Amino acid sequence: MMNLYHYKTWVISSVLDQYELYKKERGKLEVGKLFVVPNEESSNRNAYFERFVFFTKDVEKVLEGMEEELREIIEKRYFEGDLTTYMRDKGLKSKREARRLITKAVNTFFHRLERLRKDIVKKAV
């Protein structure tokens, strides 16, 4: 079963995977489209998966608009790894504080992507 936090991390990972690949291969952030499409297995889970389309320049703006600490969590993908890795890298002693920061970064980035997606849908209609 997939909960909401894991759904958010799945979307973020998919966006970052394509964003990094596009940046590496093309180098032009203005024209790239990122497609986040759930695979066939997702229908077996208790989560609602949507198709997302973002432009790389918009993802870049979302990243730039985030606080430095939260942006670093997203860019270095600390949300995908072990909590102790982030604690060690940042010199934190509290798991609660590390978890709070990682969750805040995931929620902030996802909700900004969601706002962006809704704006794109409104403009298309």
Side-chain angles (χ1 to χ4, degrees), residues 113-124:
L113 284 178
E114 182 64 14
R115 219 175 303 134
L116 179 66
R117 185 187 67 81
K118 286 179 181 178
D119 287 347
I120 290 171
V121 170
K122 283 181 187 176
K123 288 178 184 176

Side-chain angles (χ1 to χ4, degrees), residues 5 15 21 92 102 104 111:
Y5 177 80
V15 168
L21 180 66
L92 297 174
I102 290 172
K104 183 177 179 182
H111 291 296

